[in-house]
């Protein structure tokens, strides 16, 4: 990532914004490539937290795996991760597991909750050879643990075809109040394998052009976000 290769055990990252960033790799052997960091990792029961971050620009992962607009891989040994109020706006390409916010969410090894993905937002387009996701592409799980991850209040407006509009389907990975942009479907329906309610492009007035959607349906804070046809992260002075 532009900021660091990885963040480990007990680190808090906040208010980091990359504008017109360019990340490129031509190697197929690279793993964990992200706009901000390659890996967010908790250990020794110390949570690793990322809040109020954004990346706009392009990420060309070549044949890389675990490529994300913000984080390449979101994982834990012992502890709970959190990413919140994160935005990706741009274009991503890669090999396996390419996601708008996170490439791969790797399950914790201690049987506890791996963490929460909350109020994240992706817009633009992404492509990959195997598995793509609007928020994250793959949820890796160890057969020896029952750890879980929760994705809530997040929106993907990525315009291209994806494997999963929000994230992959798994009984240990839960979704609540997530919305996605698709080319067809009935507004408000929940797709079985995407973890999202559907707001199709065929609607004459897209729901996300209304402040009511962002503030009331999504519960996003108007002190953090500016709503102008879609959501824009703001620190009160600058927008990202």
């Amino acid at each position: 990532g532009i900021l660091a290769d990885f963040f480990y055990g007990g680190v808090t990252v906040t208010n980091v914004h990359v504008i017109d960033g360019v990340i490129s790799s031509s190697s197929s052997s690279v793993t964990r490539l992200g706009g901000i960091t390659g890996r967010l990792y908790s250990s020794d029961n110390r949570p690793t937290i990322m809040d109020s971050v954004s990346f706009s620009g392009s990420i060309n992962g070549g044949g890389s795996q675990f490529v994300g607009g913000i984080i390449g891989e979101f994982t834990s040994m012992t502890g709970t991760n959190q990413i919140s109020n994160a935005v990706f706006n741009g274009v991503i390409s890669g090999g396996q597991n390419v996601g708008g916010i996170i490439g791969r969410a790797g399950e914790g090894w201690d049987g506890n909750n791996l963490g929460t993905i909350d109020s994240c937002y992706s817009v633009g387009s992404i492509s990959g050879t195997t598995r793509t996701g609007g928020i994250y592409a793959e949820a890796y799980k160890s057969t020896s643990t029952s750890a879980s991850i929760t994705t809530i209040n997040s929106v993907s407006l990525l315009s291209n075809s994806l494997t999963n509009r929000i994230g992959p389907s798994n009984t240990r990975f839960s979704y609540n109040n997530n919305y996605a942009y698709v080319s067809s479907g009935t507004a408000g329906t929940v797709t079985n394998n995407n973890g999202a309610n559907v707001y199709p492009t065929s609607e004459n007035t897209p729901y996300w052009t209304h402040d009511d959607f962002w503030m009331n349906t999504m519960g996003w804070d108007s002190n953090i976000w500016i709503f102008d046809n879609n959501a824009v992260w703001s620190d009160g002075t600058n927008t990202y």
Side-chain angles (χ1 to χ4, degrees), residues 24-34 61 63-67 95-96:
S24 183
S25 172
S26 60
S27 173
S28 61
S29 62
V30 172
T31 60
R32 306 184 182 105
L33 188 65
S64 304
Q65 60 177 331
F66 316 153
V67 182
Q96 297 183 36

Side-chain angles (χ1 to χ4, degrees), residues 190-226:
V190 180
T191 56
N192 292 329
N193 69 329
N194 295 331
N197 295 285
V198 173
Y199 277 172
T201 61
S202 57
E203 293 290 330
N204 291 329
T205 306
Y207 289 82
W208 51 85
T209 63
H210 299 291
D211 291 1
D212 177 70
F213 169 73
W214 299 104
M215 289 189 290
N216 296 325
T217 302
M218 301 309 301
W220 288 8
D221 188 346
S222 59
N223 292 316
I224 297 176
W225 299 88
I226 293 174

Side-chain angles (χ1 to χ4, degrees), residues 90-172:
V91 178
I92 310 175
S93 63
Q96 297 183 36
N97 307 315
V98 181
I101 300 295
I102 297 165
R104 180 173 84 161
E107 188 175 275
W109 295 92
D110 62 351
N112 295 322
N113 182 18
L114 166 62
T116 302
I117 302 168
D118 184 7
S119 302
C120 291
Y121 174 55
S122 61
V123 59
S125 66
I126 65 174
S127 61
T129 58
T130 307
R131 288 182 295 274
T132 53
I135 300 298
Y136 68 105
E138 183 195 33
Y140 169 79
K141 62 184 187 302
S142 167
T143 57
S144 62
T145 181
S146 58
S148 62
I149 186 169
T150 300
T151 305
I152 58 174
N153 305 326
S154 294
V155 176
S156 171
L157 301 187
L158 294 169
S159 59
N160 55 307
S161 176
L162 301 171
T163 309
N164 301 295
R165 277 289 155 192
I166 294 294
S169 176
N170 186 287
T171 56
R172 284 190 263 167

Side-chain angles (χ1 to χ4, degrees), residues 9-28:
V11 173
T12 296
V13 181
T14 188
N15 294 319
V16 175
H17 305 283
V18 177
I19 301 172
D20 296 330
V22 177
I23 297 175
S24 183
S25 172
S26 60
S27 173
S28 61

Side-chain angles (χ1 to χ4, degrees), residues 35-129:
I36 303 296
T37 184
R39 193 181 195 193
L40 192 71
Y41 183 76
S42 293
S43 66
D44 302 324
N45 293 311
R46 295 179 297 168
T48 303
I49 296 169
M50 184 172 286
D51 179 65
S52 299
V53 296
S54 66
F55 181 97
S56 66
S58 64
I59 301 173
N60 179 4
S64 304
Q65 60 177 331
F66 316 153
V67 182
I70 302 295
I71 301 168
E73 186 179 45
F74 181 86
T75 190
S76 170
M77 182 64 75
T78 55
T80 302
N81 289 324
Q82 177 180 315
I83 180 170
S84 54
N85 297 309
V87 177
F88 172 79
N89 185 347
V91 178
I92 310 175
S93 63
Q96 297 183 36
N97 307 315
V98 181
I101 300 295
I102 297 165
R104 180 173 84 161
E107 188 175 275
W109 295 92
D110 62 351
N112 295 322
N113 182 18
L114 166 62
T116 302
I117 302 168
D118 184 7
S119 302
C120 291
Y121 174 55
S122 61
V123 59
S125 66
I126 65 174
S127 61
T129 58

